[in-house]
C-alpha cells in the first residue's frame, strides 16, 4: 500500500506484512511522524506525485489498460514473419530469404547497413541482399533481419527507466551478442535463438515505461524499502513486471514459444526448471548489465543466478570474454544504424 503523508507530502510504501501486523491501526509517516489510519473505513488515498489531482489508476483497471497498450503496438513487419516461415522450411535457400527481404526496401536498407559494419569485416562493400546472403549465409542473414526489424522499436528514450535515446537498443544489442557468444561455446545449436531472444528480452519496458513515469514517486517510495528490486516494484505497483509484458508482446508478434519463454523468464530463470535458452539469456543480461552498456535505473539491481552459473559452468574468465564480445559488437554496429 502506498501512502502520501497529508502533513509533509512524503510518499511511502507499507508492506502487506506491516499492514497485517498493524491490523486496522495507524501507520506513522517515516518523515514527520503523522499517524495515518490503515483501516478500511479511513484508508489513506493514493495521490499523484504532485500531491494533487486524481490518483493514477491501479489494480485490475490498470492491468487491463496495460494489456490494451500491448494490443495497440504495431505488428512485426510482414517480412519478419515470412522469413521465419522460410527458415522453418528445410527446402528453402538463402536466395529465397534474400528475395523476401528485398520486398521491404526500408528493412533491406538497414540489413545492408549492418552487413557493411566493421563487425562483419568485409573489405569490399556488400551492395545487395543477394550479395549479403551469399557472403553471410542464411543464419547470419536472418540474425541481421531480426536486428533490422527491432532497431527502430527499441531506439527511443524511456524516461520511466531513466534510459536515454539509444540506451535500450545498445543494452539489447549487448545482451544479444553476449547470449550468442555464450551459446556458441556451450550450446551452439541455440546461437540464433539466443541472439534473437537477447534482442527482444526487455521489449516489455517499451510498454511499462510511461506507466512508471506517471508513478515516479510511488516507485521511489517502494524502492526505499530495504531489499526491494525494480522488478518487484513493477509487479506490485503495475500488476506486471516487464518480463511478463514482454511475453505478451511476443504472443502478439507470434515469436516462437522457446524464445518467448526465455524472454519471460530472463529475471527468474529457475522457475521454469532447467532450460538452456532461458539460462543463456539470463546470464547474458546480467553480464551486459555488468558492462554498463545502456543500463537504466534498474541496471545494478540484477545478478547472475548461482544455479545458472553452475549449470552453464561460467567462470569469471568467461564473463570477461563474453563481455568483450558484447562491447565489440555494440561499438562496431551501433554507429552504422
Ligand atoms: Fe529485463
Ligand atoms: Fe535487460
Amino acid at each position: 500500500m502506498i501512502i502520501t503523508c497529508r502533513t509533509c507530502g512524503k510518499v511511502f510504501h507499507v508492506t502487506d506484512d506491516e499492514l497485517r501486523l498493524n491490523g486496522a491501526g495507524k501507520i506513522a509517516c517515516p518523515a514527520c511522524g503523522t499517524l495515518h489510519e490503515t483501516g478500511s473505513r479511513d484508508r489513506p488515498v493514493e495521490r499523484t506525485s504532485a500531491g494533487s489531482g486524481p490518483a493514477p489508476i491501479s489494480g485490475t483497471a490498470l492491468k487491463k489498460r496495460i494489456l490494451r497498450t500491448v494490443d495497440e503496438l504495431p505488428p512485426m513487419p510482414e517480412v519478419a514473419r515470412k522469413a521465419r516461415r522460410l527458415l522453418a522450411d528445410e527446402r528453402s535457400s538463402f536466395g529465397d530469404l534474400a528475395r523476401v527481404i528485398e520486398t521491404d526496401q526500408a528493412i533491406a536498407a538497414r540489413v545492408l547497413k549492418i552487413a557493411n559494419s566493421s563487425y562483419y569485416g568485409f573489405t569490399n562493400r556488400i551492395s545487395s541482399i543477394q550479395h549479403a546472403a551469399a557472403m553471410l549465409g542464411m543464419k547470419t542473414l536472418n540474425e541481421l533481419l531480426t536486428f533490422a526489424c527491432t532497431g527502430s522499436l527499441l531506439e527511443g528514450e524511456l524516461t520511466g527507466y531513466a534510459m536515454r535515446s539509444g540506451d535500450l537498443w545498445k543494452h539489447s544489442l549487448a545482451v544479444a551478442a553476449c547470449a550468442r557468444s555464450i551459446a556458441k561455446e556451450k550450446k551452439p545449436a541455440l546461437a540464433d535463438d539466443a541472439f534473437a531472444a537477447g534482442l527482444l528480452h526487455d521489449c516489455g519496458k517499451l510498454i511499462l515505461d510511461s506507466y512508471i513515469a506517471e508513478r515516479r514517486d510511488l516507485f521511489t517510495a517502494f524502492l526505499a524499502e530495504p531489499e526491494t528490486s525494480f522488478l518487484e516494484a513493477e509487479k506490485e505497483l503495475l500488476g506486471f513486471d516487464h518480463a511478463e509484458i514482454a511475453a505478451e508482446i511476443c504472443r502478439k508478434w507470434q515469436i516462437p514459444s522457446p524464445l518467448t519463454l526465455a524472454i519471460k523468464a530472463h529475471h527468474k530463470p529457475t522457475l521454469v526448471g532447467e532450460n538452456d535458452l532461458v539460462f543463456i539469456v539470463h546470464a547474458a543480461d546480467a553480464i551486459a548489465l555488468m558492462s554498463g552498456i545502456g543500463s537504466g535505473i534498474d541496471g545494478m539491481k540484477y545478478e547472475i543466478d548461482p544455479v545458472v552459473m553452475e549449470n552453464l559452468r561460467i567462470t569469471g574468465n568467461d564473463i570477461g570474454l563474453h563481455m568483450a564480445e558484447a562491447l565489440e559488437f555494440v561499438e562496431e554496429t551501433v554507429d552504422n544504424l
Side-chain angles (χ1 to χ4, degrees):
M1 178 184 194
I2 302 293
I3 296 175
T4 303
C5 178
R6 63 177 174 276
T7 307
C8 70
K10 182 171 176 65
V11 180
F12 59 100
H13 176 246
V14 182
T15 63
D16 288 345
D17 281 348
E18 283 170 326
L19 280 177
R20 258 192 304 277
L21 284 174
N22 191 270
K26 292 180 175 177
I27 292 277
C29 166
C32 70
T34 300
L35 293 174
H36 294 268
E37 301 281 349
T38 58
S40 57
R41 275 196 307 156
D42 196 14
R43 213 170 164 92
V45 176
E46 283 188 19
R47 295 195 208 158
T48 58
S49 56
S52 61
I57 59 166
S58 58
T60 310
L62 175 59
K63 288 178 83 170
K64 278 188 184 163
R65 171 85 60 87
I66 291 173
L67 290 175
R68 236 184 6 253
T69 318
V70 173
D71 282 339
E72 287 161 6
L73 263 186
M76 257 292 178
E78 179 62 20
V79 59
R81 281 202 295 275
K82 285 184 182 163
R84 214 174 290 129
R85 275 201 296 274
L86 273 181
L87 285 164
D89 182 351
E90 285 174 1
R91 293 163 302 173
S92 60
S93 66
F94 60 68
D96 296 331
L97 180 59
R99 276 188 288 281
V100 162
I101 295 174
E102 281 167 347
T103 60
D104 186 322
Q105 284 304 307
I107 297 281
R110 286 173 79 93
V111 168
L112 276 183
K113 263 187 163 182
I114 309 160
N116 282 302
S117 69
S118 52
Y119 181 79
Y120 291 96
F122 295 114
T123 41
N124 294 325
R125 186 163 178 78
I126 293 180
S127 53
S128 70
I129 297 293
Q130 294 283 345
H131 185 192
M135 300 297 285
L136 296 166
M138 195 147 170
K139 287 195 162 187
T140 308
L141 187 59
N142 182 51
E143 195 174 272
L144 264 53
L145 175 63
T146 314
F147 198 162
C149 291
T150 48
S152 53
L153 282 163
L154 300 172
E155 277 167 347
E157 182 183 15
L158 299 183
T159 52
Y161 287 97
M163 295 178 108
R164 291 161 303 175
S165 174
D167 279 353
L168 180 61
W169 177 226
K170 284 183 198 162
H171 171 67
S172 305
L173 287 178
V175 176
C178 201
R180 181 181 55 193
S181 174
I182 298 170
K184 275 185 173 169
E185 201 182 307
K186 312 285 180 186
K187 306 279 171 188
L190 294 178
D192 292 342
D193 283 352
F195 184 86
L199 271 184
L200 291 172
H201 78 287
D202 270 343
C203 64
K205 290 183 176 178
L206 300 173
I207 298 291
L208 295 190
D209 183 64
S210 60
Y211 295 95
I212 294 170
E214 262 174 19
R215 293 162 178 79
R216 164 74 57 225
D217 286 352
L218 302 184
F219 274 77
T220 305
F222 186 94
L223 292 165
E225 300 270 325
E227 317 234 335
T228 50
S229 70
F230 207 88
L231 202 73
E232 288 162 351
E234 291 171 347
K235 183 80 181 170
E236 169 87 14
L237 301 175
L238 304 178
F240 298 104
D241 63 45
H242 70 270
E244 291 171 321
I245 286 298
E248 294 295 325
I249 297 173
C250 287
R251 264 188 281 281
K252 178 183 164 73
W253 286 345
Q254 297 168 350
I255 303 292
S257 51
L259 273 73
T260 301
L261 182 64
I263 290 165
K264 185 174 185 179
H266 75 271
H267 288 298
K268 296 173 183 169
T270 54
L271 282 186
V272 292
E274 277 191 21
N275 180 304
D276 291 329
L277 189 59
V278 171
F279 284 4
I280 288 169
V281 174
H282 167 78
D285 187 33
I287 294 171
L289 288 168
M290 284 178 217
S291 76
I293 305 171
S295 300
I297 200 167
D298 57 341
M300 293 300 126
K301 294 260 184 184
Y302 303 130
E303 293 169 351
I304 294 196
D305 189 301
V307 174
V308 173
M309 288 281 278
E310 171 79 29
N311 192 284
L312 291 176
R313 295 198 188 88
I314 294 179
T315 63
N317 193 35
D318 291 334
I319 289 176
L321 293 174
H322 297 312
M323 200 184 283
E325 167 70 22
L327 284 165
E328 185 194 6
F329 186 70
V330 174
E331 261 173 33
E332 295 188 4
T333 53
V334 87
D335 290 342
N336 291 278
L337 297 175

